Amino acid sequence: MIAPAAFMDNYATGWSLDGLREGTFAWPVPAHRPLTLIPAADIGAFAALVLQRREEFTGRRIDLASDARTPGQLAQILTTALGRPVTHQEVPLACVRTRSADLAAMFEYFTIAGLDVDVTGLRRDYPEVGWHSFTDWAVTQDWPVLLSPARARR
C-alpha cells in the first residue's frame, strides 16, 4: 500500500488559487507546523516502481512524501514562483468545518499529529523516482494562466 502525504497539486486549484490571486496562502495549519507534501507525478512514479518490483513491496505500507515544509516556507517559495508577495494566513478550523467536517478533521490531524514521513530515506532508497521538492513543483506551474481572472471561480 502506498500512502501519499498532502498533494502539492492542490495548491494550484480551488480555494488555494483564490487566495493566491490576492497574495495570500490561506491554509488551516499554523505557519511553523511542517507539512509533508508530494506531487501527483511522484506518486505515479513510485506506483510504477512498486509494480515493477512487486516482491520487494508486497505486504508493506509505504508513506510517501517528497518534501516537508511549513506553511510559512510554502508562502516564501510561492512568492518566488509567482514573482509577487505571498503571505501565509492561518484559516481557523471552524471556518473549514463549515464547508467540510472531513476536511477539517484532516487539517486538525495535520496540526496536532502531522504525517511522519522519512523524506530523506525515500529519496536515498528510491532515487529512480526523481522526487520533486515543493520548489521544483512550484516553478513548473503556469501561474499566469492559473491565476488569471478568467479562471477564477464564480
Side-chain angles (χ1 to χ4, degrees), residues 22-119:
E22 304 298 320
T24 302
F25 175 61
W27 209 243
V29 177
H32 65 279
R33 181 70 168 139
L35 295 167
T36 52
L37 307 159
I38 190 165
D42 290 2
I43 298 168
F46 194 84
L49 179 70
V50 168
L51 292 172
Q52 292 166 3
R53 296 172 17 197
R54 291 175 192 204
E55 296 78 29
E56 179 181 342
F57 294 101
T58 298
R60 293 178 59 197
R61 175 191 165 104
I62 307 288
D63 293 323
L64 294 182
S66 55
D67 205 354
R69 299 283 175 200
T70 66
Q73 291 170 325
L74 296 175
Q76 292 172 344
I77 292 166
L78 289 167
T79 292
T80 301
L82 274 66
R84 59 181 167 167
V86 175
T87 58
H88 171 250
Q89 176 186 358
E90 184 178 351
V91 176
L93 284 174
C95 291
V96 177
R97 207 169 276 114
T98 64
R99 292 184 180 202
S100 169
D102 290 338
L103 195 58
M106 178 186 73
F107 283 114
E108 185 173 27
Y109 177 80
F110 288 167
T111 299
I112 295 169
L115 298 174
D116 186 21
V117 181
D118 183 3
V119 173

Side-chain angles (χ1 to χ4, degrees), residues 127-142:
E128 60 270 55
V129 170
W131 304 101
H132 295 86
S133 68
F134 187 77
T135 300
D136 297 335
W137 174 85
V139 300
T140 63
Q141 303 308 299
D142 192 347

